[in-house]
């Protein structure tokens, strides 16, 4: 293995271990920006305690992790609680390693594709093409963006179950680039049963493996449904009860907990009249899942990994219980599209949005909850601006990809009546 790769992993692990030995973990575990009803470490502990004492964890409305996860971690939580931080750190390091290997395979595939198409490229597009140095540069940027992003570091330090979600998503993307159909299906099915929204990643999976064949796509979809059923049955045998479905998927869909977070659901459903609730629940959940799925799949049918990146980002923005750990994960995927950065026009705006809103969230939360000199509108304003910044980033990446793709085949300088033309999307 590359020595620099090993050093980065060790340094990322050391940074996490250092912060775990401070009181920061407890603070982060209580912050609504990182800990939600779905990923809270305290709720995980409660669920494992109830399971070990023969009590159904899903009879109340506290535990929302799947029985398989609770059962798998019960021994570690009960017998070796002092090693829990190390366990979470190791999982996060493994996630970074998977992203690194995924990025390596992605760059190799793009270079192979580029070697086939290079005769069709315009003469002034060398800087838009993948170069030999990208084999190392892009994977290193990906691993650095994950290991040393404060959002992912703090999510790990707070021992949120977002660490598990990031691991499953990284494993899915790695298997997707490697062409492993069955592991892709199993990982995606497991994460879908856990958190509902990853079901949309079936679209890039179908684009990768179906070969544009309707029959193959239908068979893969049936196999995915079978995997979901098998995992659901496995969860059933842990408790001999189907209550976990309502405690996990039902809890997410019906949005029962109005605890503030960085998302868009909580404020709207706090203020809304109850008799409109079902209609807007369906509307919000459609927005978070299938609304953008078809147009994006059609446009990005030749770029399944970019489609997966965009869908993961949209999930982080529009899901019912988002956390900053989800945001940190998709930010680590952006270096994959390094060759599109030239056309990203809103970098400064997005950076400013992120810095200002992330800084203001803590301040406004303190003013609202502790000082009593603000209200929910202040905090929601910061989270709304943060979501707006993320949307700017996603659309900017999409626009940059379209412009790069156009310029590769048509050249960067297009003259109309002797003047340089500008590419404008309408």
């Amino acid at each position: 293995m590359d020595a620099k790769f090993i050093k980065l992993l060790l340094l990322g692990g050391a940074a996490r271990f250092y912060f775990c030995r401070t009181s920061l973990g407890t603070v982060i575990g209580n912050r609504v920006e990182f800990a939600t009803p779905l990923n809270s470490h305290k709720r995980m502990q409660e669920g494992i305690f109830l399971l070990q004492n023969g009590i159904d964890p899903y009879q109340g409305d506290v535990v929302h992790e799947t029985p398989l996860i609770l059962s798998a971690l019960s021994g570690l939580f009960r017998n070796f609680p002092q090693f829990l931080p190390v366990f979470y750190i190791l999982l996060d390091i493994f996630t970074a390693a998977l992203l690194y290997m995924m990025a390596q395979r992605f760059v190799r595939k793009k270079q192979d594709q580029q070697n086939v198409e290079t005769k069709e490229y315009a003469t002034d597009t060398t800087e838009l093409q993948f170069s030999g140095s990208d084999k190392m540069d892009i994977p290193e940027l990906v691993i650095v963006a994950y290991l040393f992003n404060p959002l992912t570091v703090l999510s790990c330090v707070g021992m949120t179950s977002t660490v598990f979600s990031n691991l499953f998503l990284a494993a899915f993307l790695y298997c997707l680039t490697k062409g492993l159909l069955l592991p892709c299906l199993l990982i995606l099915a497991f994460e879908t049963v856990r958190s509902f929204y990853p079901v949309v990643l079936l679209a890039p999976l179908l684009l990768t493996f179906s070969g544009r064949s309707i029959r193959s796509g239908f068979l893969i979809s049936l196999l995915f449904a079978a995997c979901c059923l098998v995992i659901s049955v496995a969860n059933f045998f842990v408790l001999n009860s189907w209550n976990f479905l309502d405690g996990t998927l039902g809890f997410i869909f019906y949005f029962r907990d109005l605890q503030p977070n960085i998302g868009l659901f909580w404020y709207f459903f706090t203020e809304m009249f109850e008799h409109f609730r079902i209609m807007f629940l369906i509307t919000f959940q459609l927005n978070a899942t299938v609304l953008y799925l078809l147009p994006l799949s059609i446009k990005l049918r030749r770029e399944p990994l970019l489609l997966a990146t965009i869908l993961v980002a949209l999930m982080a923005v529009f899901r019912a219980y988002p956390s900053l750990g989800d945001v940190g994960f998709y930010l680590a995927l952006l270096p994959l599209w390094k060759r599109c950065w030239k056309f990203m026009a809103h970098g400064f705006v997005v950076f400013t949005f992120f810095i200002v809103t992330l800084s203001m969230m803590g301040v406004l939360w303190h003013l609202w909850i502790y000082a009593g000199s603000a209200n929910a509108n202040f905090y929601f304003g910061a989270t709304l601006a943060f979501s707006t910044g993320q949307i700017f980033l996603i659309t900017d990446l999409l626009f940059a990809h379209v412009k790069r793709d156009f310029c590769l085949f048509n050249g960067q300088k297009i003259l109309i009546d002797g003047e340089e033309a500008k590419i404008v999307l309408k």
Side-chain angles (χ1 to χ4, degrees), residues 354-377:
F354 273 54
I355 294 298
V356 173
T357 54
L358 288 173
S359 302
M360 291 299 294
M361 282 181 195
V363 174
L364 295 175
W365 178 263
H366 178 83
L367 292 176
W368 174 25
I369 300 300
Y370 298 102
S373 57
N375 55 42
N377 297 311

PDB file of all heavy atoms in Angstrom, residues 354-377:
ATOM      1  N   PHE A 354     -21.658  28.314   3.965  1.00  0.00           N
ATOM      2  CA  PHE A 354     -21.321  27.262   4.919  1.00  0.00           C
ATOM      3  C   PHE A 354     -20.687  27.835   6.189  1.00  0.00           C
ATOM      4  O   PHE A 354     -21.091  27.476   7.305  1.00  0.00           O
ATOM      5  CB  PHE A 354     -20.370  26.253   4.263  1.00  0.00           C
ATOM      6  CG  PHE A 354     -21.060  25.164   3.504  1.00  0.00           C
ATOM      7  CD1 PHE A 354     -21.990  25.458   2.521  1.00  0.00           C
ATOM      8  CD2 PHE A 354     -20.783  23.838   3.755  1.00  0.00           C
ATOM      9  CE1 PHE A 354     -22.638  24.462   1.809  1.00  0.00           C
ATOM     10  CE2 PHE A 354     -21.408  22.822   3.052  1.00  0.00           C
ATOM     11  CZ  PHE A 354     -22.340  23.141   2.077  1.00  0.00           C
ATOM     12  N   ILE A 355     -19.702  28.703   6.031  1.00  0.00           N
ATOM     13  CA  ILE A 355     -18.988  29.232   7.189  1.00  0.00           C
ATOM     14  C   ILE A 355     -19.923  30.057   8.084  1.00  0.00           C
ATOM     15  O   ILE A 355     -19.976  29.871   9.316  1.00  0.00           O
ATOM     16  CB  ILE A 355     -17.787  30.087   6.741  1.00  0.00           C
ATOM     17  CG1 ILE A 355     -16.738  29.211   6.055  1.00  0.00           C
ATOM     18  CG2 ILE A 355     -17.170  30.810   7.938  1.00  0.00           C
ATOM     19  CD1 ILE A 355     -16.151  28.148   6.947  1.00  0.00           C
ATOM     20  N   VAL A 356     -20.671  30.956   7.475  1.00  0.00           N
ATOM     21  CA  VAL A 356     -21.539  31.849   8.250  1.00  0.00           C
ATOM     22  C   VAL A 356     -22.660  31.079   8.929  1.00  0.00           C
ATOM     23  O   VAL A 356     -22.924  31.253  10.130  1.00  0.00           O
ATOM     24  CB  VAL A 356     -22.105  32.969   7.346  1.00  0.00           C
ATOM     25  CG1 VAL A 356     -23.142  33.792   8.103  1.00  0.00           C
ATOM     26  CG2 VAL A 356     -20.979  33.866   6.842  1.00  0.00           C
ATOM     27  N   THR A 357     -23.336  30.209   8.186  1.00  0.00           N
ATOM     28  CA  THR A 357     -24.495  29.504   8.766  1.00  0.00           C
ATOM     29  C   THR A 357     -24.065  28.499   9.832  1.00  0.00           C
ATOM     30  O   THR A 357     -24.730  28.388  10.871  1.00  0.00           O
ATOM     31  CB  THR A 357     -25.297  28.787   7.669  1.00  0.00           C
ATOM     32  OG1 THR A 357     -24.423  27.932   6.911  1.00  0.00           O
ATOM     33  CG2 THR A 357     -25.942  29.780   6.731  1.00  0.00           C
ATOM     34  N   LEU A 358     -22.969  27.792   9.604  1.00  0.00           N
ATOM     35  CA  LEU A 358     -22.504  26.844  10.622  1.00  0.00           C
ATOM     36  C   LEU A 358     -22.080  27.577  11.893  1.00  0.00           C
ATOM     37  O   LEU A 358     -22.277  27.068  13.010  1.00  0.00           O
ATOM     38  CB  LEU A 358     -21.341  26.013  10.084  1.00  0.00           C
ATOM     39  CG  LEU A 358     -21.700  24.959   9.028  1.00  0.00           C
ATOM     40  CD1 LEU A 358     -20.441  24.331   8.449  1.00  0.00           C
ATOM     41  CD2 LEU A 358     -22.597  23.883   9.615  1.00  0.00           C
ATOM     42  N   SER A 359     -21.501  28.760  11.732  1.00  0.00           N
ATOM     43  CA  SER A 359     -21.124  29.556  12.908  1.00  0.00           C
ATOM     44  C   SER A 359     -22.351  30.077  13.638  1.00  0.00           C
ATOM     45  O   SER A 359     -22.399  30.089  14.882  1.00  0.00           O
ATOM     46  CB  SER A 359     -20.234  30.733  12.484  1.00  0.00           C
ATOM     47  OG  SER A 359     -19.091  30.290  11.817  1.00  0.00           O
ATOM     48  N   MET A 360     -23.360  30.488  12.874  1.00  0.00           N
ATOM     49  CA  MET A 360     -24.546  31.085  13.478  1.00  0.00           C
ATOM     50  C   MET A 360     -25.448  30.060  14.164  1.00  0.00           C
ATOM     51  O   MET A 360     -26.172  30.396  15.101  1.00  0.00           O
ATOM     52  CB  MET A 360     -25.358  31.824  12.405  1.00  0.00           C
ATOM     53  CG  MET A 360     -24.676  33.070  11.872  1.00  0.00           C
ATOM     54  SD  MET A 360     -24.382  34.308  13.162  1.00  0.00           S
ATOM     55  CE  MET A 360     -26.065  34.759  13.582  1.00  0.00           C
ATOM     56  N   MET A 361     -25.406  28.808  13.712  1.00  0.00           N
ATOM     57  CA  MET A 361     -26.301  27.808  14.301  1.00  0.00           C
ATOM     58  C   MET A 361     -26.097  27.681  15.805  1.00  0.00           C
ATOM     59  O   MET A 361     -27.054  27.696  16.584  1.00  0.00           O
ATOM     60  CB  MET A 361     -26.078  26.446  13.627  1.00  0.00           C
ATOM     61  CG  MET A 361     -26.723  26.294  12.277  1.00  0.00           C
ATOM     62  SD  MET A 361     -26.393  24.638  11.606  1.00  0.00           S
ATOM     63  CE  MET A 361     -26.839  24.913   9.887  1.00  0.00           C
ATOM     64  N   GLY A 362     -24.836  27.554  16.218  1.00  0.00           N
ATOM     65  CA  GLY A 362     -24.563  27.419  17.649  1.00  0.00           C
ATOM     66  C   GLY A 362     -24.962  28.645  18.437  1.00  0.00           C
ATOM     67  O   GLY A 362     -25.527  28.542  19.537  1.00  0.00           O
ATOM     68  N   VAL A 363     -24.709  29.816  17.873  1.00  0.00           N
ATOM     69  CA  VAL A 363     -25.043  31.071  18.553  1.00  0.00           C
ATOM     70  C   VAL A 363     -26.552  31.212  18.710  1.00  0.00           C
ATOM     71  O   VAL A 363     -27.066  31.524  19.801  1.00  0.00           O
ATOM     72  CB  VAL A 363     -24.464  32.272  17.768  1.00  0.00           C
ATOM     73  CG1 VAL A 363     -24.926  33.589  18.383  1.00  0.00           C
ATOM     74  CG2 VAL A 363     -22.948  32.195  17.718  1.00  0.00           C
ATOM     75  N   LEU A 364     -27.281  30.989  17.628  1.00  0.00           N
ATOM     76  CA  LEU A 364     -28.738  31.171  17.663  1.00  0.00           C
ATOM     77  C   LEU A 364     -29.415  30.120  18.506  1.00  0.00           C
ATOM     78  O   LEU A 364     -30.454  30.389  19.133  1.00  0.00           O
ATOM     79  CB  LEU A 364     -29.287  31.164  16.227  1.00  0.00           C
ATOM     80  CG  LEU A 364     -28.807  32.333  15.363  1.00  0.00           C
ATOM     81  CD1 LEU A 364     -29.291  32.184  13.933  1.00  0.00           C
ATOM     82  CD2 LEU A 364     -29.282  33.665  15.943  1.00  0.00           C
ATOM     83  N   TRP A 365     -28.848  28.906  18.538  1.00  0.00           N
ATOM     84  CA  TRP A 365     -29.407  27.870  19.419  1.00  0.00           C
ATOM     85  C   TRP A 365     -29.265  28.291  20.882  1.00  0.00           C
ATOM     86  O   TRP A 365     -30.195  28.141  21.678  1.00  0.00           O
ATOM     87  CB  TRP A 365     -28.696  26.542  19.179  1.00  0.00           C
ATOM     88  CG  TRP A 365     -29.168  25.420  20.062  1.00  0.00           C
ATOM     89  CD1 TRP A 365     -28.605  24.984  21.221  1.00  0.00           C
ATOM     90  CD2 TRP A 365     -30.329  24.606  19.858  1.00  0.00           C
ATOM     91  NE1 TRP A 365     -29.311  23.950  21.756  1.00  0.00           N
ATOM     92  CE2 TRP A 365     -30.384  23.693  20.932  1.00  0.00           C
ATOM     93  CE3 TRP A 365     -31.311  24.560  18.871  1.00  0.00           C
ATOM     94  CZ2 TRP A 365     -31.389  22.741  21.047  1.00  0.00           C
ATOM     95  CZ3 TRP A 365     -32.320  23.611  18.982  1.00  0.00           C
ATOM     96  CH2 TRP A 365     -32.355  22.718  20.057  1.00  0.00           C
ATOM     97  N   HIS A 366     -28.098  28.831  21.237  1.00  0.00           N
ATOM     98  CA  HIS A 366     -27.884  29.294  22.611  1.00  0.00           C
ATOM     99  C   HIS A 366     -28.839  30.444  22.955  1.00  0.00           C
ATOM    100  O   HIS A 366     -29.437  30.458  24.042  1.00  0.00           O
ATOM    101  CB  HIS A 366     -26.431  29.746  22.788  1.00  0.00           C
ATOM    102  CG  HIS A 366     -26.137  30.269  24.151  1.00  0.00           C
ATOM    103  ND1 HIS A 366     -25.842  29.444  25.222  1.00  0.00           N
ATOM    104  CD2 HIS A 366     -26.116  31.542  24.641  1.00  0.00           C
ATOM    105  CE1 HIS A 366     -25.651  30.179  26.303  1.00  0.00           C
ATOM    106  NE2 HIS A 366     -25.795  31.458  25.974  1.00  0.00           N
ATOM    107  N   LEU A 367     -28.998  31.380  22.029  1.00  0.00           N
ATOM    108  CA  LEU A 367     -29.895  32.508  22.287  1.00  0.00           C
ATOM    109  C   LEU A 367     -31.342  32.047  22.432  1.00  0.00           C
ATOM    110  O   LEU A 367     -32.099  32.594  23.242  1.00  0.00           O
ATOM    111  CB  LEU A 367     -29.786  33.529  21.148  1.00  0.00           C
ATOM    112  CG  LEU A 367     -28.460  34.281  21.024  1.00  0.00           C
ATOM    113  CD1 LEU A 367     -28.476  35.178  19.800  1.00  0.00           C
ATOM    114  CD2 LEU A 367     -28.202  35.103  22.287  1.00  0.00           C
ATOM    115  N   TRP A 368     -31.722  31.030  21.685  1.00  0.00           N
ATOM    116  CA  TRP A 368     -33.105  30.535  21.730  1.00  0.00           C
ATOM    117  C   TRP A 368     -33.364  29.685  22.972  1.00  0.00           C
ATOM    118  O   TRP A 368     -34.300  29.967  23.738  1.00  0.00           O
ATOM    119  CB  TRP A 368     -33.381  29.729  20.455  1.00  0.00           C
ATOM    120  CG  TRP A 368     -34.725  29.043  20.415  1.00  0.00           C
ATOM    121  CD1 TRP A 368     -35.863  29.400  21.082  1.00  0.00           C
ATOM    122  CD2 TRP A 368     -35.067  27.863  19.672  1.00  0.00           C
ATOM    123  NE1 TRP A 368     -36.891  28.530  20.797  1.00  0.00           N
ATOM    124  CE2 TRP A 368     -36.425  27.581  19.925  1.00  0.00           C
ATOM    125  CE3 TRP A 368     -34.351  27.045  18.795  1.00  0.00           C
ATOM    126  CZ2 TRP A 368     -37.078  26.489  19.349  1.00  0.00           C
ATOM    127  CZ3 TRP A 368     -35.015  25.975  18.215  1.00  0.00           C
ATOM    128  CH2 TRP A 368     -36.356  25.694  18.493  1.00  0.00           C
ATOM    129  N   ILE A 369     -32.537  28.670  23.207  1.00  0.00           N
ATOM    130  CA  ILE A 369     -32.805  27.681  24.242  1.00  0.00           C
ATOM    131  C   ILE A 369     -32.330  28.138  25.619  1.00  0.00           C
ATOM    132  O   ILE A 369     -33.025  27.945  26.632  1.00  0.00           O
ATOM    133  CB  ILE A 369     -32.160  26.333  23.878  1.00  0.00           C
ATOM    134  CG1 ILE A 369     -32.726  25.819  22.549  1.00  0.00           C
ATOM    135  CG2 ILE A 369     -32.376  25.298  24.977  1.00  0.00           C
ATOM    136  CD1 ILE A 369     -34.224  25.583  22.542  1.00  0.00           C
ATOM    137  N   TYR A 370     -31.163  28.769  25.697  1.00  0.00           N
ATOM    138  CA  TYR A 370     -30.576  29.079  27.002  1.00  0.00           C
ATOM    139  C   TYR A 370     -30.783  30.533  27.411  1.00  0.00           C
ATOM    140  O   TYR A 370     -31.187  30.799  28.547  1.00  0.00           O
ATOM    141  CB  TYR A 370     -29.079  28.739  26.990  1.00  0.00           C
ATOM    142  CG  TYR A 370     -28.807  27.280  26.758  1.00  0.00           C
ATOM    143  CD1 TYR A 370     -28.393  26.818  25.517  1.00  0.00           C
ATOM    144  CD2 TYR A 370     -28.984  26.345  27.777  1.00  0.00           C
ATOM    145  CE1 TYR A 370     -28.150  25.471  25.283  1.00  0.00           C
ATOM    146  CE2 TYR A 370     -28.747  25.005  27.566  1.00  0.00           C
ATOM    147  CZ  TYR A 370     -28.338  24.571  26.323  1.00  0.00           C
ATOM    148  OH  TYR A 370     -28.110  23.234  26.106  1.00  0.00           O
ATOM    149  N   ALA A 371     -30.507  31.461  26.510  1.00  0.00           N
ATOM    150  CA  ALA A 371     -30.637  32.872  26.874  1.00  0.00           C
ATOM    151  C   ALA A 371     -32.078  33.355  26.794  1.00  0.00           C
ATOM    152  O   ALA A 371     -32.446  34.328  27.466  1.00  0.00           O
ATOM    153  CB  ALA A 371     -29.740  33.732  25.978  1.00  0.00           C
ATOM    154  N   GLY A 372     -32.899  32.730  25.993  1.00  0.00           N
ATOM    155  CA  GLY A 372     -34.301  33.135  25.859  1.00  0.00           C
ATOM    156  C   GLY A 372     -34.495  34.457  25.153  1.00  0.00           C
ATOM    157  O   GLY A 372     -35.561  35.063  25.254  1.00  0.00           O
ATOM    158  N   SER A 373     -33.472  34.904  24.436  1.00  0.00           N
ATOM    159  CA  SER A 373     -33.572  36.199  23.750  1.00  0.00           C
ATOM    160  C   SER A 373     -33.825  36.045  22.260  1.00  0.00           C
ATOM    161  O   SER A 373     -33.749  37.008  21.511  1.00  0.00           O
ATOM    162  CB  SER A 373     -32.290  37.006  23.979  1.00  0.00           C
ATOM    163  OG  SER A 373     -31.159  36.292  23.543  1.00  0.00           O
ATOM    164  N   ALA A 374     -34.073  34.814  21.793  1.00  0.00           N
ATOM    165  CA  ALA A 374     -34.403  34.555  20.385  1.00  0.00           C
ATOM    166  C   ALA A 374     -35.503  33.498  20.359  1.00  0.00           C
ATOM    167  O   ALA A 374     -35.979  33.046  21.406  1.00  0.00           O
ATOM    168  CB  ALA A 374     -33.174  34.088  19.621  1.00  0.00           C
ATOM    169  N   ASN A 375     -35.920  33.113  19.159  1.00  0.00           N
ATOM    170  CA  ASN A 375     -36.950  32.082  19.050  1.00  0.00           C
ATOM    171  C   ASN A 375     -36.615  31.127  17.908  1.00  0.00           C
ATOM    172  O   ASN A 375     -35.546  31.215  17.298  1.00  0.00           O
ATOM    173  CB  ASN A 375     -38.336  32.704  18.856  1.00  0.00           C
ATOM    174  CG  ASN A 375     -38.377  33.652  17.661  1.00  0.00           C
ATOM    175  OD1 ASN A 375     -37.825  33.361  16.609  1.00  0.00           O
ATOM    176  ND2 ASN A 375     -39.037  34.794  17.833  1.00  0.00           N
ATOM    177  N   ALA A 376     -37.546  30.223  17.607  1.00  0.00           N
ATOM    178  CA  ALA A 376     -37.290  29.196  16.597  1.00  0.00           C
ATOM    179  C   ALA A 376     -37.029  29.788  15.224  1.00  0.00           C
ATOM    180  O   ALA A 376     -36.306  29.191  14.414  1.00  0.00           O
ATOM    181  CB  ALA A 376     -38.483  28.235  16.531  1.00  0.00           C
ATOM    182  N   ASN A 377     -37.608  30.962  14.936  1.00  0.00           N
ATOM    183  CA  ASN A 377     -37.410  31.581  13.630  1.00  0.00           C
ATOM    184  C   ASN A 377     -35.939  31.881  13.359  1.00  0.00           C
ATOM    185  O   ASN A 377     -35.464  31.744  12.228  1.00  0.00           O
ATOM    186  CB  ASN A 377     -38.207  32.886  13.527  1.00  0.00           C
ATOM    187  CG  ASN A 377     -39.694  32.654  13.640  1.00  0.00           C
ATOM    188  OD1 ASN A 377     -40.236  31.790  12.960  1.00  0.00           O
ATOM    189  ND2 ASN A 377     -40.358  33.394  14.501  1.00  0.00           N
TER     190      ASN A 377
END
